[in-house]
Amino acid sequence: MRPFTYERPADVRSAVAAAAGRPDAAYLGGGTNLVDLMRLGVATPRTLVDVTRISSRAIEETGGGLLIGAGVRNGDLAADPLVRRAQPLLARAVLEGASGQIRNMATVAGNLLQRTRCPYFQDVTKPCNKRLPGSGCPARTGDHRNLAILGHSEHCVATHPSDMAVALAALDALVHVEGPGGARTVPMPGLHRLPGDEPDRDTVLAPGELITAVEVPHLPFAARSRYRKVRDRASFAFAVVSVAAALDVAGGVVRDCRIALGGVAHAPWRAEAAEAALRGAAATPEEFARAADAELARSSPLPRNAFKAPLLRNVLVRTLTDLAEPAGFAESEPVETP
Amino acid sequence: MKTEARPSVGAALERVEGVEKVTGRARYAYENFPDELAYAVPVQATVARGTVLAADVDAVVRLPGVIAAVWHGNAPRLAPADNAELAVLQSDRVSYRGQYVAVVVAETLQCAREAARLLRIDYDAEPHDVELRADHPEMYRPDRVNAGYPADTELGDPDAALAAAPVLVDATYRTPAEHNNPMEPHATVAVWSGDGLTLHDSTQGVSALRETIAPLFGMPPENVRVISPHVGGGFGSKGAALPPVVLAALAAKHAGRPVKLAVTRQQMFAVTGYRTPTIQRVRLGADTGGRLTAIVHEAFEQSSRLREFAEQTTTPTRVMYAAPDRRTAHRLVRLDVPTPAWMRAPGEAPGMFALESAMDELAVACGIDPVELRIRNEPAAEPESGLPFSSRNLVACLREGARRFGWAGRDPTPAARTRGRMLVGTGVAASTYPVYRRPSRASARCDPDDRFTVRIAAADIGTGARTILTQVAADALRVTPDRVRVEVGDTALPAASLAGGSAGTASWGTAVVRACEALLEELDRRGGDVPAEGLEATADTAEEVGEQPEYARHAFGAQFAEVGVDLDTGEARVLRLLGVFAAGRIVNPVTARSQFVGGMTMGMSMALLEESVMDHEFGDYLNHDLAQYHVPTAMDLPDVQAYWIEEDDPHLNPLGAKGIGEIGIVGTAAAVANAVHHATGVRVRDLPIRLDKLVR
C-alpha cells in the first residue's frame, strides 16, 4: 500500500486548513467507498483528513425544512423520525441503497461524494478519462450496460451511483460547504457536474471544500412521493435506473411535481423537461407518458444500454400513475431491506 | 467393550466442528503464521496474449522490506507439467490477461503489494481472440471431455428421425462464463525445510494436491505435506492444483522463507478457473403425444491456450430420456482466455439448462403438461448404454414435487396471471447427477479409554463431511458418535480422493466403514481387549471400487419454481423454489438439506444473476468483484424448500448413499427459465435472465 498521513483535526476550520492547498489530500468520512478505492489504487491520497468526529451528526428542524449534519450516518438518517415524517422520499431512497452494514458506516457527505462504479474507472490496468484524464473511455465501445443514457460525453459515460442524491436532487436540497474561501451553499441539482471534457471532476466543489450539512426544504406535497429503484438483484445492488418523484394533484390536474432520475447520468438527473410537461397537465397515464418522452428526447443511449429508455419510460409512468391515484395511493412506512 | 448404539446415520447430528467455527478457533489456511513468515503478492499480465520482454526486478528488490522479486527470468526451474497452467513463471509467454507473470516477496503484506504495483513489466503484445462463437474456424472435437466421457455419441439415425418427426423443437441456448465465489478465497502458506515442503492450503483434496505438486519440484510425494483442516467453500474451484499454490511454493523456495499468498477476490476471476460459456443446440423430435423419437444435443465451449478443459455439457442427455435415435457432441475452441475448470456440476448444470428448457418447449408445442411429458419419456434402462439403473426415481420426484408445490390444475397459458403489478408463472425441470465412487484409504483406531479415532485425508469444504463420517464410523463401530473423532484434511492421514463429483460420502464412507469393520474384527479376535498402546486397522477400497458391477448409477430430482416478473421493469424474482430429490440414503438430514438448498440457490443465481462479462478489447473478465458479479442475497430467494425420497439401493456402497453436493444446482436454472416463460410468454434462451431481456 502507498504510505499516507492521517490527520484528525479538532474542528471544521482546522480540517479545511489541513486540506487547503493540498490537491492530494482527501476528507475521510465512513470510508465505505474511499478506502475501497485506495485498496484498488484508484484513489491515492497522500493525506487523509478524518472528519468523522467533527462533522455534525445532528438532524434539526429549521424554519423551512431539515438541516442534516454531514456526518450523519445513512442508517441513522433513514431511521430518524423527523426525516421519516417530513421527508419520506429521502428515507426511502437511503434505505434502497447499499446494505445495512454499509449504511451504518457511510455518512451523508460521503454518500454524495462517492465515485462511479464504472468497471473501467475501478480497474487501474485500463484507460479511463475520469481516473486518468486523456487516457480514453473504453466503456463507450465496451461494457456500458449499467452506464449513462443522458448527459454523457464522448469522454465519459459514467453514472453517479447514489440513491440518496437522487432524492436530494428532487427535493431541491442545499449543500452547505466550508472551504478555504469561506462558507457557501450549493443547490441540488447542481452539486454534481456532467462529464463534458473534464470527467475527472465529479462535482463543482473546489479543492479543499468540505460539506458540512445538507438542508432539505419543506415540500408541502412530500407525503405523496415515491422512490422506485430498479435493480438486477433484490438487495445490495446499484440502480439500473431509479426514479424519485413527488406529485401535487388537485382536481385531476398536476399543480406541481418533482422528478429526479438515478442510474442514467453522471449526476442525479433532475427531469426538468418532464416536470415542465406535467405542470398544469391532466394527471393521466397518457400525460405521464408524454412527459417521460419529453425527458427521453434528450437521451442518447448506447447499444448495450438502449433498454434503459423504455425501462425508464415504464417506471416513470408507473410511479406517477401510482402517485396520482386519489384513493389507491396508501403510503406505508419506509421499510428497511437487509 | 462394544456397545450397541442407535443408528447414527440418518440422524440430524450437529456439525461436529460447529462450535470451533463460530467461535473463530477453526484455523483456515491463511491463519497460519510460521516463524520468519514473508508475504507474496503476485503480478498479473496486463495483456491477453504476447510475451514478457523484461521485468525490472532489480528496482523493486531495492525497496525497503522487499525480499525477492521473481519472474521467469530468475524463477526456480520446475519439472515439466502435464498441465501447462502449473508451469508458473517458466516461460515468457502470456496466454491470458491476468496470468501470473511475477511475484514479489516482502516482510509485510503492505510492502509486497506496493512493490508488486511498482514492478515494471514490458510486454510484446499480440492481437488476442477471446470470443466464443459456434462457427469459430478453430472449433475441434476433443478426444474426451471432463470426467473421461467420450466427446461424441450417436445411436441410430437421428437426422432422419428428426426429419420425420411430427413435432420438432430446434433451439439454441447460451450460458455465460460463471465464476466460483466461495466465501474463503484461495490461500496458501508454503514452508520449506530441507527437502520437505509443507503447504497450508485451502483445498478440496490434500492427497491429489500433494501428488501434483511434488513432481513439479522434483520430489517424491512423501516430501510434501498438505494441511487443510477447514475450507471455506470450493464448489470445484479448489479441486485441482492451481497457479497460486505453485507460485507460493516457488516464491518460498526462491526467497528461502516461509511465504503466505492470498488470492484476492479480483484475481479469482483470472487464475482459479470458471465455468466455460456454452452455446448449445438442442433438437427434439417427438410424436404428437410427446414421445421422443430423436434427441440431438451439441455443445460449443472454450478453453485456454494452456490447457484443454472440455466441459461434459451434453452428458446428462445420454441419461435422461428414452428415444431410439440420438446424438450428443462437444466442440471446443482454444482462445486467449483463462483456463476454465470445475464449477458445481460441470456438464450437468449448463447441459440440463438447455435440455430441460427444450423439454419445456416441447411440452408447449405438444400441449402436454411438462411433468407428464417427462413421465412419458421415462426410459426402462440407461438410454445410451442400455445398462439397468441401480435405482431411478425421477418419476417419484416429479409426482411428489408436483404434489407439494401445488402443481395440479396449472393453466399452461403463458402471460395469463398477475399478482399486483407482477406477472406470475410456474415452471418445472428435472435434474440428475452421476454417482461416482473413488478409491480411498482410511484408518480406525481404538484406545484403552474406549474412544475411537478415524483418520482419512478427506476434505470438509463446508459440506459437513467430517460430521457425516463421524456418523458412518459410529454405526460401523456400533457406538454413539460422541465416542468417535474423525480427522480429515492432512496428507499425514491415509490418502483419500478429493471432494468432487459429489463423491465424498460414497468414497470416503466406504473406506471408513471398511476400516471400522477391520478394527472390530481385530478387536473380536482379541476378545474385545484393547492393548495399552491402542489398536489400529486400515482399509484401502481400490479393489472394492474397481470391481463394482456395472450399473447406471445416478441421482435424480425435480425442481419447481414460481417466478414473478414486474410488468413495468422486467425484474424477475423467484418467489418459491421447491426441489425433491432421490439420492439414495440421506446420511444427515440437516447437512443434506443445506446441500440441496445451497445447490438450488446457486441454480437460481445461475438463472437470474451470474455472468462473467468478457471484455473484448482487453480480454479479461471485467466484472471481477462481488459488487459487479452478483450472487444472491437472502431477499433473492425468500422461500426455498428441499425434500427427498428415501431410496434403498443395494448397488451403490455400504451406505447406500448417492452424492448430493451438486444435483441441487442441476435443473434449477431451467425450472426458473420455464417459469419465466409461463409468466411472460417470453422464452429466454440465454442466461442470465435479467430485466433487459424482458422489459418492453
Side-chain angles (χ1 to χ4, degrees):
Chain A
M1 103 186 171
R2 280 171 254 203
F4 59 87
T5 61
Y6 171 82
E7 296 177 19
R8 210 161 63 200
D11 52 38
V12 167
R13 183 173 300 178
S14 351
V16 170
R22 289 156 74 178
D24 55 1
Y27 292 120
L28 176 68
T32 56
N33 185 220
L34 177 59
V35 174
D36 280 357
L37 292 175
M38 290 172 69
R39 289 202 182 102
L40 293 171
V42 173
T44 56
R46 299 291 294 272
T47 303
L48 277 189
V49 181
D50 185 345
V51 294
T52 50
R53 299 186 188 200
I54 56 171
S55 296
S56 164
R57 297 185 66 172
I59 300 172
E60 302 160 53
E61 233 169 344
T62 65
L66 293 180
L67 189 68
I68 300 163
V72 172
R73 307 282 174 173
N74 288 189
D76 293 337
L77 176 66
D80 188 89
L82 268 181
V83 175
R84 291 165 75 91
R85 194 170 57 243
Q87 299 291 0
L89 178 63
L90 178 59
R92 278 165 212 289
V94 170
L95 288 176
E96 292 288 305
S99 67
Q101 292 91 334
I102 288 175
R103 290 194 296 268
N104 286 342
M105 285 298 289
T107 63
V108 164
N111 187 324
L112 284 174
L113 297 181
Q114 63 179 307
R115 313 294 311 269
T116 184
R117 298 315 198 279
C118 172
Y120 300 95
F121 172 73
Q122 296 185 95
D123 184 344
V124 295
T125 69
K126 293 174 183 152
C128 167
N129 287 326
K130 182 181 280 299
R131 181 168 31 77
L132 194 65
S135 60
C137 176
R140 283 197 76 86
T141 50
D143 184 25
H144 48 249
R145 176 183 181 270
N146 297 329
L147 301 180
I149 62 169
L150 282 157
H152 55 76
S153 74
E154 60 178 303
H155 304 289
C156 183
V157 292
T159 45
H160 194 264
S162 171
D163 293 298
M164 184 191 77
V166 179
L168 292 176
L171 294 168
D172 283 343
L174 281 176
V175 180
H176 291 235
V177 173
E178 193 84 40
R184 65 171 179 138
T185 56
V186 181
M188 293 267 297
L191 173 69
H192 300 90
R193 298 175 65 256
L194 293 182
D197 56 5
E198 279 185 292
D200 51 316
R201 288 182 58 210
D202 288 359
T203 70
V204 299
L205 296 185
E209 282 194 315
L210 175 68
I211 295 176
T212 55
V214 175
E215 188 178 347
V216 189
H218 178 64
L219 178 67
F221 51 100
R224 200 171 276 269
S225 63
R226 174 164 287 187
Y227 187 73
R228 174 66 163 103
K229 178 175 181 175
V230 179
R231 46 182 152 187
D232 288 324
R233 177 164 67 181
S235 174
F236 205 3
F238 294 100
V240 177
V241 305
S242 69
V243 171
L247 203 59
D248 182 10
V249 180
V253 172
V254 177
R255 285 203 302 209
D256 199 1
C257 63
R258 302 284 183 82
I259 304 170
L261 311 175
V264 292
H266 196 258
W269 185 270
R270 186 69 175 263
E272 289 162 1
E275 288 184 6
L278 278 182
R279 286 195 188 93
T284 60
E286 295 71 27
E287 289 300 313
F288 297 145
R290 205 172 56 80
D293 289 339
E295 198 62 46
L296 285 166
R298 305 159 76 185
S299 71
S300 44
L302 298 166
R304 294 188 66 180
N305 68 10
F307 70 94
K308 283 193 178 186
L311 175 61
L312 195 58
R313 187 180 195 274
N314 291 353
V315 179
L316 260 174
V317 171
R318 171 56 39 201
T319 306
L320 294 169
T321 304
D322 287 350
L323 287 174
E325 286 291 320
F329 184 75
E331 195 52 285
S332 55
E333 277 281 282
V335 178
E336 183 158 9
T337 61
Chain B
M1 66 131 274
K2 275 185 293 176
T3 51
E4 294 296 327
R6 282 198 308 154
S8 178
V9 166
L13 184 65
E14 283 179 13
R15 236 168 250 265
V16 294
E17 77 283 15
V19 172
E20 245 186 297
K21 280 183 171 167
V22 299
T23 55
R25 280 183 290 124
R27 187 177 290 193
Y28 290 79
Y30 189 78
E31 299 172 312
N32 287 280
F33 295 88
D35 291 343
E36 299 292 303
L37 180 64
Y39 292 82
V41 170
V43 179
Q44 297 178 273
T46 55
V47 302
R49 180 188 169 101
T51 52
V52 175
L53 298 176
D56 194 359
V57 291
D58 295 339
V60 300
V61 293
R62 284 197 291 269
L63 296 171
V66 174
I67 298 163
V70 195
W71 68 307
H72 77 85
N74 64 352
R77 292 298 108 193
L78 299 172
D82 295 340
N83 175 3
E85 265 282 15
L86 301 183
V88 181
L89 308 190
Q90 300 300 296
S91 98
D92 62 355
R93 282 303 297 170
V94 174
S95 297
Y96 59 89
R97 189 178 172 108
Q99 187 180 6
Y100 288 161
V101 291
V103 63
V104 175
V105 182
E107 298 290 349
T108 66
L109 176 62
Q110 290 79 1
C111 179
R113 282 189 62 165
E114 178 63 358
R117 183 183 73 81
L118 292 172
L119 179 58
R120 184 192 159 85
I121 300 189
D122 295 327
Y123 300 94
D124 182 12
E126 300 163 17
H128 58 254
D129 179 1
V130 294
E131 188 184 0
L132 174 66
R133 294 184 284 132
D135 63 352
H136 197 291
E138 290 166 34
M139 276 285 170
Y140 70 98
R141 180 170 63 83
D143 283 344
R144 304 192 86 74
V145 293
N146 183 48
Y149 294 103
D152 292 5
T153 59
E154 184 162 322
L155 278 179
D157 187 348
D159 296 315
L162 285 172
V167 184
L168 179 69
V169 169
D170 181 353
T172 298
Y173 305 87
R174 289 164 193 270
T175 60
E178 296 155 358
H179 280 80
N180 279 313
N181 274 287
M183 276 199 288
E184 181 204 20
H186 303 60
T188 306
V189 174
V191 186
W192 288 90
S193 64
D195 289 341
L197 171 65
T198 300
L199 296 169
H200 301 273
D201 191 66
S202 184
T203 175
Q204 294 177 225
V206 291
S207 305
L209 185 59
R210 166 161 90 169
E211 296 296 323
T212 308
I213 294 293
L216 285 177
F217 289 90
M219 297 187 292
E222 310 83 78
N223 288 26
V224 177
R225 178 157 179 211
V226 183
I227 303 171
S228 185
H230 300 290
V231 178
F235 307 112
S237 73
K238 297 171 181 170
L242 292 164
V245 62
V246 178
L247 189 66
L250 185 127
K253 190 180 172 84
H254 182 88
R257 293 271 295 270
V259 152
K260 177 177 291 192
L261 189 154
V263 179
T264 63
R265 186 66 64 182
Q266 287 88 347
Q267 287 173 14
M268 287 177 68
F269 286 79
V271 297
T272 58
Y274 62 99
R275 195 194 300 288
T276 175
T278 70
I279 301 167
Q280 303 178 55
R281 185 178 182 197
V282 180
R283 280 172 286 173
L284 303 177
D287 64 24
T288 52
R291 277 173 199 83
L292 288 163
T293 54
I295 306 175
V296 175
H297 188 174
E298 297 151 308
F300 301 88
E301 317 167 345
Q302 72 186 31
S303 194
S304 70
R305 303 281 178 200
L306 289 174
R307 184 183 180 214
E308 180 183 277
F309 179 87
E311 180 135 344
Q312 70 273 37
T313 302
T314 73
T315 56
T317 300
R318 300 170 186 174
V319 173
M320 284 304 297
Y321 300 114
D325 298 281
R326 49 203 304 146
R327 176 163 67 233
T328 65
H330 298 85
R331 296 293 178 269
L332 195 66
V333 63
R334 310 286 286 273
L335 301 171
D336 303 307
V337 296
T339 306
W342 299 322
M343 181 168 183
R344 205 172 200 169
E348 277 76 15
M352 287 290 275
F353 164 67
L355 179 65
E356 290 299 287
S357 293
M359 286 296 280
D360 201 65
E361 300 205 44
L362 180 63
V364 172
C366 296
I368 296 171
D369 179 83
V371 170
E372 174 59 24
L373 177 79
R374 287 168 173 85
I375 293 170
R376 278 187 199 178
N377 287 289
E378 179 72 0
E382 192 176 52
E384 289 202 0
S385 70
L387 286 171
F389 287 103
S390 67
S391 57
R392 173 171 168 131
N393 283 295
L394 172 58
V395 171
C397 290
L398 286 163
R399 292 200 164 122
E400 176 69 359
R403 185 186 70 76
R404 288 183 176 275
F405 188 78
W407 184 265
R410 172 184 184 262
D411 174 7
T413 315
R417 290 146 303 276
T418 57
R419 196 179 299 162
R421 292 295 300 170
M422 214 164 52
L423 286 163
V424 176
T426 53
V428 63
S431 50
T432 186
Y433 197 81
V435 179
Y436 297 111
R437 187 164 60 142
R438 304 197 182 96
S440 285
R441 296 178 193 172
S443 72
R445 176 185 174 82
C446 183
D447 282 298
D449 61 358
D450 277 354
R451 302 195 78 81
F452 296 87
T453 306
V454 170
R455 295 190 169 99
I456 179 164
D460 190 329
I461 60 171
T463 53
R466 193 185 267 107
T467 305
I468 63 108
L469 291 178
T470 303
Q471 294 174 272
V472 168
D475 282 7
L477 295 164
R478 288 174 241 146
V479 300
T480 51
D482 57 306
R483 286 172 58 193
V484 178
R485 176 182 161 78
V486 173
E487 296 177 5
V488 302
D490 191 332
T491 50
L493 308 171
S497 58
L498 57 79
S502 297
T505 300
S507 308
W508 309 325
T510 301
V512 166
V513 166
R514 298 306 178 222
C516 291
E517 286 171 350
L519 179 65
L520 285 193
E521 264 178 47
E522 184 63 20
L523 272 171
D524 271 349
R525 217 167 50 75
R526 292 164 175 260
D529 288 335
V530 181
E533 70 277 16
L535 195 63
E536 187 167 305
T538 60
D540 181 342
T541 63
E543 202 172 314
E544 177 177 354
V545 171
E547 287 176 352
Q548 67 183 11
E550 276 208 286
Y551 277 98
R553 296 176 175 88
H554 306 273
F556 291 91
Q559 282 97 323
F560 294 77
E562 183 179 36
V563 166
V565 179
D566 190 291
L567 271 166
D568 303 302
T569 66
E571 291 166 291
R573 304 279 189 253
V574 174
L575 308 174
R576 247 181 347 129
L577 188 58
L578 186 150
V580 177
F581 302 94
R585 196 169 170 205
I586 296 303
V587 177
N588 183 321
V590 173
T591 55
R593 178 167 279 112
S594 291
Q595 287 298 304
F596 290 134
V597 165
M600 285 194 287
T601 304
M602 211 161 159
M604 182 283 289
S605 183
M606 174 182 178
L608 299 186
L609 300 173
E610 291 183 53
E611 177 183 18
S612 302
V613 178
M614 173 52 73
D615 187 294
H616 288 226
E617 180 178 355
F618 298 100
D620 62 348
Y621 287 108
L622 184 65
N623 50 338
H624 54 206
D625 59 44
L626 292 176
Q628 302 180 81
Y629 184 92
H630 284 173
V631 296
T633 66
M635 289 192 54
D636 288 284
L637 195 49
D639 181 355
V640 54
Q641 299 174 50
Y643 302 94
W644 49 86
I645 289 162
E646 288 283 342
E647 287 182 309
D648 186 11
D649 185 334
H651 308 297
L652 300 173
N653 50 62
L655 313 180
K658 297 174 177 177
I660 56 172
E662 289 162 275
I663 191 168
I665 190 174
V666 180
T668 298
V672 172
N674 295 341
V676 167
H677 175 263
H678 188 231
T680 63
V682 180
R683 178 71 64 181
V684 181
R685 298 188 181 88
D686 55 332
L687 297 182
I689 305 171
R690 283 194 307 230
L691 57 93
D692 42 314
K693 295 169 187 168
L694 294 171
V695 70
R696 290 289 180 270

